[in-house]
Amino acid sequence: MNILILYYSMYGHIHRMAEAAAEGVREVAGATATLRRAPETLQPEVLEKMGALEPQKAFARVPVCTVEELPSYDGILFGTPTRFGNMCGQMRQFLDATGGLWAKGALIGKPGGVFTSSATQHGGQESTILTFQTFLLHQGMVVVGLPYSFAGQMRIDEITGGSPYGASTIAGGQGERLPSENELAAARFQGRHLAGIAAKLAR
């Protein structure tokens, strides 16, 4: 059983969450995790002006995903930064190219979930995940969130991401805050949870 973790990361926050989610997937017996990046749509000179080229070197080794490979996985966990309460343009453009899969029903019945990041504590994390889930529903996927059995989302002793909709992290206005251990634990939990559901569906 192979779970795809498909993400876009500009400064590395979502990449770290994706790695944690992969760790969670691998905790399920017989499950493997495959990391893939959504294709970049910005020119290198634009990314350089945004200060993103250097951070992206850390995960440049992760292969870029193709639409054609999506049906070969038993479940998909998507990661995207928040852009004004919605997914980033890179992920949106990639998903818009999956019409052929929709026409064939190629993703029907596969579990799918979403994790995200935002600059601020209330920067649209939940709306990003909720609006992303409409794609999962149109593709006939089984929506998997972050249940309250992950008690870390109920913490009030520290600032933290995470909600029943999915794992999340707060990056800071300048990207200065890296995912906390609690946020990484949420990503691991969601990865493990999705892989467990995929295993049950496979049986």
Side-chain angles (χ1 to χ4, degrees):
M1 185 178 61
N2 196 359
I3 303 299
L4 172 65
I5 301 175
L6 170 58
Y7 68 95
Y8 176 82
S9 187
M10 180 165 282
Y11 298 107
H13 301 82
I14 288 294
H15 170 69
R16 286 174 181 250
M17 295 285 281
E19 288 186 318
E23 292 172 5
V25 167
R26 297 181 188 117
E27 292 176 9
V28 176
T32 59
T34 298
L35 290 173
R36 291 286 187 269
R37 293 181 293 129
E40 182 58 78
T41 60
L42 297 176
Q43 295 299 316
E45 54 269 23
V46 175
L47 292 171
E48 185 174 15
K49 290 179 180 178
M50 298 174 72
L53 278 185
E54 191 62 31
Q56 289 185 1
K57 290 179 180 178
F59 46 92
R61 68 186 186 281
V62 178
V64 172
C65 194
T66 64
V67 168
E68 292 74 23
E69 69 183 280
L70 297 184
S72 65
Y73 298 98
D74 301 290
I76 306 174
L77 187 56
F78 299 87
T80 176
T82 293
R83 297 289 187 264
F84 303 107
N86 211 317
M87 72 179 76
C88 67
Q90 290 87 343
M91 183 64 74
R92 178 77 269 168
Q93 183 162 316
F94 181 82
L95 298 183
D96 282 348
T98 62
L101 301 183
W102 170 82
K104 298 174 184 176
L107 302 182
I108 291 176
K110 295 180 184 291
V114 186
F115 59 94
T116 190
S117 68
S118 64
T120 60
Q121 191 173 358
H122 304 288
Q125 293 185 355
E126 292 183 356
S127 64
T128 294
I129 295 175
L130 286 169
T131 53
F132 200 123
Q133 287 174 350
T134 60
F135 167 80
L136 307 183
L137 293 166
H138 276 265
Q139 290 284 4
M141 301 181 78
V142 178
V143 177
V144 177
L146 183 69
Y148 278 110
S149 48
F150 174 69
Q153 64 181 290
M154 301 177 69
R155 294 180 65 167
I156 59 172
D157 61 323
E158 66 177 55
I159 294 174
T160 186
S163 73
Y165 312 110
S168 60
T169 184
I170 302 159
Q174 304 300 318
E176 70 275 13
R177 182 183 183 275
L178 296 176
S180 69
E181 180 49 45
N182 190 57
E183 292 166 340
L184 294 173
R188 290 187 199 100
F189 190 104
Q190 191 174 8
R192 184 170 61 250
H193 182 52
L194 189 144
I197 289 175
K200 292 178 181 178
L201 291 173
R203 289 197 295 269

